[in-house]
Amino acid sequence: TIDETSWLYCSAKGHCPDVNACNQECLGRSFHGGAEWLLFFGSTMGGNGNKVFTLAEVSQHNNAKDCWLVIHGKVYNVTKFLEDHPGGDDVLLSSTGKDATNDFEDIGHSTSAVAMMDEFYVGDIDTSTFPNKFKYTPPKQPHYNQDKTPEFIIKILQFLAPLFILGLAVGIHFYTKST
Ligand code: HEM
């Protein structure tokens, strides 16, 4: 059955004035009539009423006509806000397709900026679809020293020379002793 809360949410935002003639974008989706609306909530609304998106799904909304952001585990459709964003539309567009939490926090947005976000909320992100930041990347150079420059040879000689002198001294000692 239709989710009344979500319906009220959308109509309060000025979307979908009539559920049977709902053809405006709401919750990040376009609806063409009540049947599609019903289908949307029937198929995509989870237990808590929040749609959960994968990063791949959100990443598709990465342009000036359709721009979604992921901040603090939530998904925001900021398409209508692009022009009005005080920091410009380009920064918002460059924060698409990834977890934009750090980008958002680094600016030190005001509490009023945070309060505005509710208006653009469309669902939650499945954080397991984020790429693993701590993935092991092997070093480009092998660990052992491949340096064949004279500097390296000098270092080796500096180490071998005392050993050679010590060996020579021991050799002479035993040689003179036996003769
Ligand atoms: C739903 C998400 C966002 C909302 C509602 C929002 C809202 C705002 C608002 C209201 C301001 C004015 C200053 C303030 O009140 O803090 C602002 C400034 C700014 N925002 Fe955002 N923003 C969002 C996301 C982002 C993201 C993802 C970035 C990426 C870097 C960003 C970058 C900036 C920059 C650079 C400024 C200008 C700061 C300055 O000139 O001091 N914003 N934003």
Side-chain angles (χ1 to χ4, degrees):
T1 55
I2 190 160
D3 184 320
E4 280 299 328
T5 324
S6 303
W7 159 246
L8 286 170
Y9 169 87
C10 289
S11 48
K13 297 274 172 247
H15 298 301
C16 314
D18 174 4
V19 68
N20 294 312
C22 186
N23 56 8
Q24 290 182 46
E25 186 156 307
C26 182
L27 295 170
R29 300 282 289 256
S30 288
F31 299 99
H32 306 282
E36 249 183 70
W37 171 262
L38 281 166
L39 208 67
F40 171 65
F41 282 104
S43 65
T44 63
M45 280 307 199
N48 64 358
N50 295 341
K51 171 98 170 78
V52 178
F53 298 97
T54 64
L55 187 64
E57 282 176 290
V58 175
S59 300
Q60 287 169 5
H61 308 268
N62 60 357
N63 56 73
K65 285 183 180 151
D66 183 19
C67 177
W68 289 18
L69 293 175
V70 177
I71 299 165
H72 291 305
K74 290 182 175 177
V75 181
Y76 299 95
N77 179 352
V78 293
T79 313
K80 292 193 173 85
F81 185 56
L82 283 174
E83 275 182 29
D84 302 327
H85 180 233
D89 56 351
D90 47 347
V91 285
L92 296 187
L93 286 167
S94 62
S95 289
T96 56
K98 61 170 189 176
D99 182 2
T101 307
N102 289 342
D103 293 356
F104 182 81
E105 288 300 330
D106 286 350
I107 301 303
H109 280 91
S110 65
T111 44
S112 62
V114 174
M116 287 173 73
M117 295 168 79
D118 267 0
E119 202 181 318
F120 309 115
Y121 174 75
V122 288
D124 298 327
I125 187 83
D126 177 357
T127 49
S128 70
T129 61
F130 284 155
N132 188 358
K133 277 184 205 157
F134 306 106
K135 210 158 72 184
Y136 175 74
T137 42
K140 283 187 190 107
Q141 291 277 316
H143 283 301
Y144 56 83
N145 199 337
Q146 280 194 326
D147 193 357
K148 294 266 164 36
T149 58
E151 212 176 305
F152 174 69
I153 292 162
I154 288 164
K155 270 184 196 161
I156 291 281
L157 285 177
Q158 276 175 347
F159 173 73
L160 287 179
L163 284 180
F164 176 73
I165 292 162
L166 189 72
L168 202 67
V170 172
I172 289 167
H173 173 75
F174 282 110
Y175 178 73
T176 51
K177 219 177 175 187
S178 60
T179 53

